């Protein structure tokens, strides 16, 4: 088991339990670091609270006493906790470092890190890269926002093993020394503004992925995204572009229905199993990383020829009496839903709605020409109804449950249509996670 090296903090406040907070508390304790854990909402009887207390670690739940900051020299917070939190604001005023657990990777001495971030496509790209490493028999471990606590993964990694890590803006805001050898910037648009408040703040968080890179490192970036192109200009790393639109001969690109890397043919587009034009960006980014790492074209072709996607990301569920049902519950913003809609030429019955973050859905309207029906749910039903009417959608209905949504979608559909769950909203008004929402959709489809 790996140990932290030259970790500069002697006593750390862990803010927020959940999966990552629990893992970090145990990890720091194993490394002889003093730990205090604080969580506002977790009850005293929670099993994680008991486990941590059994280790002799102090745990305070149900309140945020400011006195907790008197005896610590750093805070490691759950990425989702906003910076308006009273403990975070006070810690920053005191000059205490406020970190996320991603920062711990810098103290495990892991050199081979591939970090992937962007507004959309992170999980698909991360999984593709990991599958290419695995098929080439390069030792690699998945970590980060994809569901594996990165510091916990780092603690158990073997020598010469690479970490393939999905990174959110929330995680990247809390890093200081963390540096991937290969950073991937997929795209950038207005998202999570309830957390970041401005697009500039969001963009700066994403840019943290390459701030510590040197010319020995690589930055794979989307040359079709104007914001990304502007962002990477100050980077010290070796720039490797990818593009669907231009022949970027220093990176990965498409030409005559073929993917190339630096003018070398890699794979024909018609040999790729993953559907959706938007996934081509993810594929190009993965190809660029694979070629930088020396992975063979045969391996790239084998993975792209068989990989059909990850759960809840434009996931094909079932054909029901000629209707094709797709689960895109991970589409928690407008851009993700527009990309899902653009993946189909057939008539679509769109299931959408969820948490109201204050935005309207006018940006969906130009992409709804093939939407013949909408089944809406959650807090944003009225706003999505307005967008649907503006797009002249024939049938718009509002329902209370996912099972009802699927049943109504089936009634509105005909043979050859697509029934698509692509909510354009977060799930937290009705579900704990987008996975729970997607699983409800899958179960309801199977009941048909």
């Amino acid at each position: 088991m790996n140990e932290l090296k030259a970790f500069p903090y002697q006593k750390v406040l862990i803010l927020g339990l959940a999966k990552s907070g629990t893992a970090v508390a145990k990890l720091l304790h194993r490394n002889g670091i003093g730990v205090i854990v604080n969580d506002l909402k977790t009850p005293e009887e929670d099993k994680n609270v008991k486990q941590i207390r059994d280790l002799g670690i102090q745990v305070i739940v149900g309140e945020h006493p400011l006195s907790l900051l008197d005896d610590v020299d750093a805070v490691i917070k759950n990425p989702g906790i906003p910076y308006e939190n009273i403990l975070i604001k006070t810690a920053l005023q005191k000059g205490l470092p406020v970190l996320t657990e991603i920062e711990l990777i810098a103290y495990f001495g892991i050199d081979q890190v591939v970090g992937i971030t962007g507004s959309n496509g992170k999980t698909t790209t991360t999984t593709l890269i990991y599958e290419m490493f695995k098929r080439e028999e390069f030792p690699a471990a998945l970590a980060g926002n994809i569901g594996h606590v990165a510091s916990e993964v780092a603690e158990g990694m073997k020598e010469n093993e690479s970490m393939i890590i999905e990174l959110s803006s929330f995680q990247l805001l809390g890093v200081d020394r963390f540096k991937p050898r290969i950073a991937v910037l997929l795209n950038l648009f207005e998202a999570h503004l309830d957390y970041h408040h401005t697009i500039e703040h969001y963009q700066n968080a994403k840019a943290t992925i390459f701030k510590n890179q040197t010319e020995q490192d690589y930055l794979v970036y989307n040359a079709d995204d104007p914001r990304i192109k502007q962002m990477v200009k100050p980077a010290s790393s070796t720039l490797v572009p990818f593009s669907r639109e231009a022949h970027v001969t220093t990176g990965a690109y498409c030409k005559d229905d073929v993917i190339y890397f630096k003018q070398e043919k890699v794979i024909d587009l018609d040999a790729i199993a993953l559907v959706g034009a938007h996934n081509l960006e993810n594929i190009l980014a993965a190809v660029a990383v694979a070629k930088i790492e020396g992975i063979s074209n045969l391996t790239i072709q084998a993975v792209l020829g068989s990989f059909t996607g990850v759960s809840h990301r434009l996931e094909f569920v079932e054909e029901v009496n000629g209707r094709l049902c797709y689960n895109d519950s991970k589409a928690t913003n407008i851009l993700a839903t527009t990309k899902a809609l653009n993946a189909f030429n057939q008539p679509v019955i769109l299931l959408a709605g969820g948490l109201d973050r204050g935005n309207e859905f006018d940006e969906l309207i130009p992409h709804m020409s093939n939407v013949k029906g909408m089944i809406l749910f959650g807090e944003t039903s009225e706003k999505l109804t307005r967008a649907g009417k503006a797009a002249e959608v024939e049938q718009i209905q509002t329902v209370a449950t996912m099972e009802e949504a699927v049943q109504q979608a089936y009634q509105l559909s005909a043979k050859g249509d697509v029934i698509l769950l692509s909510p354009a909203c977060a799930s937290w008004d009705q579900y704990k996670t987008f996975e729970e929402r997607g699983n409800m959709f899958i179960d309801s489809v199977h009941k048909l």
Side-chain angles (χ1 to χ4, degrees), residues 1 15 47 61 76 96 161 178 192 200 215 218 222-223 251 274 285 292 320 339 394 409 419 429 435 446:
M1 187 170 288
L15 187 58
K47 65 177 183 180
V61 296
I76 296 180
L96 292 173
E161 192 171 14
F178 168 76
H192 303 301
E200 289 77 20
E215 59 185 14
Y218 296 88
N222 187 344
L274 192 59
I292 290 168
V320 182
K339 289 186 173 184
E394 297 171 16
I419 295 175
D429 59 334
E435 292 95 341
H446 290 327

Side-chain angles (χ1 to χ4, degrees), residues 36 64-72 87 94:
I36 303 173
H64 282 323
L66 295 181
S67 59
L68 292 176
L69 298 172
D70 293 342
D71 194 30
V72 300
L87 271 175
K94 286 175 169 280

Side-chain angles (χ1 to χ4, degrees), residues 14 22 24-30 33-37 49 51-60:
I14 309 286
T22 303
V24 172
K26 293 177 179 178
L27 185 155
L28 292 180
H29 181 72
R30 285 192 292 272
I33 307 299
V35 178
I36 303 173
V37 178
V49 173
Q51 283 180 11
I52 294 172
R53 281 183 175 155
D54 287 347
L55 295 172
I57 297 171
Q58 183 182 4
V59 183
I60 295 93

Side-chain angles (χ1 to χ4, degrees), residues 76-244:
I76 296 180
K77 76 176 192 72
N78 183 289
I81 295 174
Y83 284 78
E84 289 80 5
N85 176 282
I86 185 63
L87 271 175
I88 299 298
K89 288 174 68 175
T90 307
L92 291 171
Q93 288 167 4
K94 286 175 169 280
L96 292 173
V98 176
L99 308 168
T100 55
E101 60 91 22
I102 298 299
E103 175 69 2
L104 296 178
I105 297 169
Y107 297 97
F108 278 111
I110 299 168
D111 298 322
Q112 300 298 319
V113 177
V114 180
I116 300 97
T117 197
S119 298
N120 278 317
K122 295 186 293 295
T123 301
T124 297
T125 306
T126 301
T127 308
L128 271 173
I129 293 168
Y130 175 70
E131 292 296 327
M132 290 174 184
F133 271 66
K134 191 167 66 171
R135 193 172 187 98
E136 190 79 358
E137 298 185 358
F138 286 1
L142 271 176
N145 202 46
I146 201 166
H148 308 280
V149 179
S151 54
E152 194 173 46
V153 172
E155 190 181 30
M157 284 177 63
K158 300 172 184 175
E159 192 176 355
N160 298 322
E161 192 171 14
S162 295
M163 176 181 284
I164 317 296
I165 179 170
E166 178 185 327
L167 296 163
S168 71
S169 59
F170 301 169
Q171 291 168 314
L172 286 167
L173 265 179
V175 300
D176 180 33
R177 287 184 50 188
F178 168 76
K179 176 181 77 73
R181 192 178 81 86
I182 303 177
V184 180
L185 268 172
L186 292 170
N187 44 56
L188 189 80
F189 70 100
E190 293 188 7
H192 303 301
L193 296 191
D194 54 334
Y195 186 98
H196 291 284
H197 304 302
T198 67
I199 185 65
E200 289 77 20
H201 188 265
Y202 176 55
Q203 181 172 312
N204 291 339
K206 292 292 190 186
T208 305
I209 196 171
F210 61 82
K211 74 171 184 177
N212 294 322
Q213 286 191 309
T214 69
E215 59 185 14
Q216 282 76 43
D217 303 312
Y218 296 88
L219 175 53
V220 175
Y221 72 96
N222 187 344
D224 299 332
D225 188 312
R227 282 199 180 106
I228 296 285
K229 286 178 72 175
Q230 192 66 28
M231 276 175 66
V232 302
K233 285 183 177 179
S236 300
S237 37
T238 300
L239 297 179
V240 181
F242 65 88
S243 173
R244 291 194 302 167

